[in-house]
Every structure is written in C-alpha cells, then in structure tokens.
Amino acid sequence: MKSMSIQKQQGFSLVELLLVLGVIALIAIAAFIIYPSVQAGAQANTEASNATAIVAGVKNLFGAKGNYQGLTDAVACQAQVYPSTMVGGATTASTCALSANKPKSAWGEAVTLAVGAAPYNQFAIHYSKIPSATCTKLLSNIAANFDTVGTTAIGSTDIKASGQAPDPVAIATKCAAANPVTDLYFTSK
C-alpha cells in the first residue's frame, strides 16, 4: 500500500495576495480623494482663527485712538498682532522687515492689512490667491464676523454688505473652481 503524504501549504496563494493588493489600492485611492478636502478644512479653520486674532489685536492696539490711521503690516507685526505662525515668529522691526517673515496664510500666500480712506475708521485683512477648496469653507466660517467682505478692494460688498448676512450664492460663485477668487478683503470697523 502506498502512503500518501500531505504537504503543508507554505506562503500565500495568488488569490490572497491579489486580495490584499486590492484592499491597499482602495485605501490609497480613498486617501487621495479625502486628503484635499481635509487639508482645505484645516486651512480654513486656521485662517478663521488667525483673522479673529488679527481683528482683536488691531482693535486692542488702536482702540483708544478711535481710528486706524498708521496701521501697517510692519506696525502690526511689531505689536504682535499677527499670530506668530503667520510671521515666522518675528517681533522686531528688523525681523518683521525680512521677506521670509511677511505675513502668510496657511496656504503660503500673502496676507496684508489695509486701512480705509479718511476718517480711517475701517481696516481690512487682505488674503491673496485663495485655493478654491479653501475659499468656500473660509468664507462660510468667518464672513459673518466682518462688516463687509468683498473681492475687489477694502469695503467692497460683493460677498457681504454691511448689516447683511453673507450671500451664499455669491460665495459659491466666487469660489467656483473655474473662476477662483484671487483676493478677499475682510473689512472691520
């Protein structure tokens, strides 16, 4: 009588390997789809926080004066109005003047302050080159906290007029990927 020996299987079968590779591919695809949305939300939240801190800092700095005449990026930097993450930790005239320490948004573009015309009773935070995915989230988060919000100049009202709620249609239109906003002015009094 012949004896049959049973061999034990070693390793993984081709089907098992293909199944594992398929699961890894699905996870990778999901990460590439979800990551930009998560990143845009994080950028919008960071800038909402930064804008709130800037407004509070400017109002504290100029509150007793009654107007914002003399407000510049250099003054705001030296007075530590900008969150340190926006200016590379700069706090002196010489370090604030360095181009590496100019205020930057979470997406790495310029942020500046502008003062309205006489009687200098309003100022704006100007964001440039806003990514489309971040734009809608940022405007939805903080537009209601400002007197006006626009895309053309300080005091412009194409997104939010004084005393009005932000216009969701204008936000959606201005932030559309085919026509992204290049400038946003958040004006405060």
Side-chain angles (χ1 to χ4, degrees), residues 13 19 34 42 51 63 79 106 112 116 126 164 174:
S13 71
L19 183 62
I34 294 171
T112 57
H126 172 227
Q164 303 289 319
K174 297 289 182 180

PDB file of all heavy atoms in Angstrom, residues 13 19 34 42 51 63 79 106 112 116 126 164 174:
ATOM      1  N   SER A  13      -1.472  32.215  -1.208  1.00  0.00           N
ATOM      2  CA  SER A  13      -1.884  31.893  -2.569  1.00  0.00           C
ATOM      3  C   SER A  13      -1.970  33.183  -3.383  1.00  0.00           C
ATOM      4  O   SER A  13      -2.007  34.292  -2.844  1.00  0.00           O
ATOM      5  CB  SER A  13      -3.233  31.179  -2.564  1.00  0.00           C
ATOM      6  OG  SER A  13      -4.254  32.096  -2.220  1.00  0.00           O
ATOM      7  N   LEU A  19      -5.988  39.902  -3.365  1.00  0.00           N
ATOM      8  CA  LEU A  19      -6.993  40.492  -2.490  1.00  0.00           C
ATOM      9  C   LEU A  19      -6.371  41.570  -1.593  1.00  0.00           C
ATOM     10  O   LEU A  19      -6.915  42.671  -1.445  1.00  0.00           O
ATOM     11  CB  LEU A  19      -7.650  39.406  -1.633  1.00  0.00           C
ATOM     12  CG  LEU A  19      -8.782  39.858  -0.712  1.00  0.00           C
ATOM     13  CD1 LEU A  19      -9.939  40.415  -1.523  1.00  0.00           C
ATOM     14  CD2 LEU A  19      -9.254  38.710   0.148  1.00  0.00           C
ATOM     15  N   ILE A  34      -9.846  62.006  -0.158  1.00  0.00           N
ATOM     16  CA  ILE A  34     -10.244  62.660   1.090  1.00  0.00           C
ATOM     17  C   ILE A  34      -9.241  63.716   1.543  1.00  0.00           C
ATOM     18  O   ILE A  34      -9.626  64.761   2.058  1.00  0.00           O
ATOM     19  CB  ILE A  34     -10.455  61.599   2.192  1.00  0.00           C
ATOM     20  CG1 ILE A  34     -11.643  60.722   1.823  1.00  0.00           C
ATOM     21  CG2 ILE A  34     -10.653  62.239   3.552  1.00  0.00           C
ATOM     22  CD1 ILE A  34     -11.808  59.513   2.711  1.00  0.00           C
ATOM     23  N   ALA A  42      -8.795  72.295   7.183  1.00  0.00           N
ATOM     24  CA  ALA A  42      -7.798  72.696   8.182  1.00  0.00           C
ATOM     25  C   ALA A  42      -7.266  74.091   7.890  1.00  0.00           C
ATOM     26  O   ALA A  42      -7.096  74.916   8.797  1.00  0.00           O
ATOM     27  CB  ALA A  42      -6.654  71.690   8.214  1.00  0.00           C
ATOM     28  N   ALA A  51      -7.619  85.268  11.502  1.00  0.00           N
ATOM     29  CA  ALA A  51      -8.339  86.519  11.222  1.00  0.00           C
ATOM     30  C   ALA A  51      -8.991  87.067  12.493  1.00  0.00           C
ATOM     31  O   ALA A  51      -8.955  88.275  12.749  1.00  0.00           O
ATOM     32  CB  ALA A  51      -9.388  86.295  10.140  1.00  0.00           C
ATOM     33  N   GLY A  63      -7.636 100.869  19.692  1.00  0.00           N
ATOM     34  CA  GLY A  63      -8.918 101.169  20.331  1.00  0.00           C
ATOM     35  C   GLY A  63      -9.005 102.553  20.944  1.00  0.00           C
ATOM     36  O   GLY A  63      -9.991 103.265  20.764  1.00  0.00           O
ATOM     37  N   ALA A  79       3.820  94.858  16.875  1.00  0.00           N
ATOM     38  CA  ALA A  79       2.898  94.834  18.018  1.00  0.00           C
ATOM     39  C   ALA A  79       2.375  93.426  18.282  1.00  0.00           C
ATOM     40  O   ALA A  79       1.521  93.228  19.137  1.00  0.00           O
ATOM     41  CB  ALA A  79       1.739  95.788  17.770  1.00  0.00           C
ATOM     42  N   ALA A 106      -2.242  80.091   5.617  1.00  0.00           N
ATOM     43  CA  ALA A 106      -1.976  78.657   5.788  1.00  0.00           C
ATOM     44  C   ALA A 106      -1.595  77.998   4.466  1.00  0.00           C
ATOM     45  O   ALA A 106      -0.948  76.967   4.453  1.00  0.00           O
ATOM     46  CB  ALA A 106      -3.202  77.960   6.383  1.00  0.00           C
ATOM     47  N   THR A 112      -2.158  90.805   4.068  1.00  0.00           N
ATOM     48  CA  THR A 112      -1.795  92.181   4.393  1.00  0.00           C
ATOM     49  C   THR A 112      -2.957  92.885   5.065  1.00  0.00           C
ATOM     50  O   THR A 112      -4.106  92.443   4.974  1.00  0.00           O
ATOM     51  CB  THR A 112      -1.401  92.981   3.131  1.00  0.00           C
ATOM     52  OG1 THR A 112      -2.490  92.945   2.199  1.00  0.00           O
ATOM     53  CG2 THR A 112      -0.156  92.408   2.469  1.00  0.00           C
ATOM     54  N   GLY A 116      -8.890 101.908   5.435  1.00  0.00           N
ATOM     55  CA  GLY A 116      -9.790 102.652   4.564  1.00  0.00           C
ATOM     56  C   GLY A 116      -9.425 104.126   4.525  1.00  0.00           C
ATOM     57  O   GLY A 116      -8.590 104.615   5.288  1.00  0.00           O
ATOM     58  N   HIS A 126      -6.465  91.444   3.962  1.00  0.00           N
ATOM     59  CA  HIS A 126      -6.455  91.060   2.551  1.00  0.00           C
ATOM     60  C   HIS A 126      -5.728  89.724   2.382  1.00  0.00           C
ATOM     61  O   HIS A 126      -4.550  89.611   2.694  1.00  0.00           O
ATOM     62  CB  HIS A 126      -5.759  92.148   1.730  1.00  0.00           C
ATOM     63  CG  HIS A 126      -5.523  91.760   0.309  1.00  0.00           C
ATOM     64  ND1 HIS A 126      -4.321  91.953  -0.313  1.00  0.00           N
ATOM     65  CD2 HIS A 126      -6.322  91.173  -0.609  1.00  0.00           C
ATOM     66  CE1 HIS A 126      -4.392  91.511  -1.547  1.00  0.00           C
ATOM     67  NE2 HIS A 126      -5.593  91.028  -1.747  1.00  0.00           N
ATOM     68  N   GLN A 164     -25.744  92.993   6.608  1.00  0.00           N
ATOM     69  CA  GLN A 164     -26.407  91.890   5.916  1.00  0.00           C
ATOM     70  C   GLN A 164     -25.709  90.570   6.240  1.00  0.00           C
ATOM     71  O   GLN A 164     -24.565  90.558   6.670  1.00  0.00           O
ATOM     72  CB  GLN A 164     -26.354  92.106   4.390  1.00  0.00           C
ATOM     73  CG  GLN A 164     -26.960  93.403   3.914  1.00  0.00           C
ATOM     74  CD  GLN A 164     -28.468  93.403   4.041  1.00  0.00           C
ATOM     75  OE1 GLN A 164     -29.120  92.405   3.748  1.00  0.00           O
ATOM     76  NE2 GLN A 164     -29.025  94.514   4.484  1.00  0.00           N
ATOM     77  N   LYS A 174     -18.150  82.931  -6.398  1.00  0.00           N
ATOM     78  CA  LYS A 174     -16.802  83.492  -6.324  1.00  0.00           C
ATOM     79  C   LYS A 174     -15.755  82.414  -6.051  1.00  0.00           C
ATOM     80  O   LYS A 174     -14.607  82.560  -6.452  1.00  0.00           O
ATOM     81  CB  LYS A 174     -16.712  84.554  -5.225  1.00  0.00           C
ATOM     82  CG  LYS A 174     -17.595  85.755  -5.458  1.00  0.00           C
ATOM     83  CD  LYS A 174     -17.075  86.604  -6.580  1.00  0.00           C
ATOM     84  CE  LYS A 174     -17.953  87.827  -6.765  1.00  0.00           C
ATOM     85  NZ  LYS A 174     -17.479  88.672  -7.847  1.00  0.00           N
TER      86      LYS A 174
END
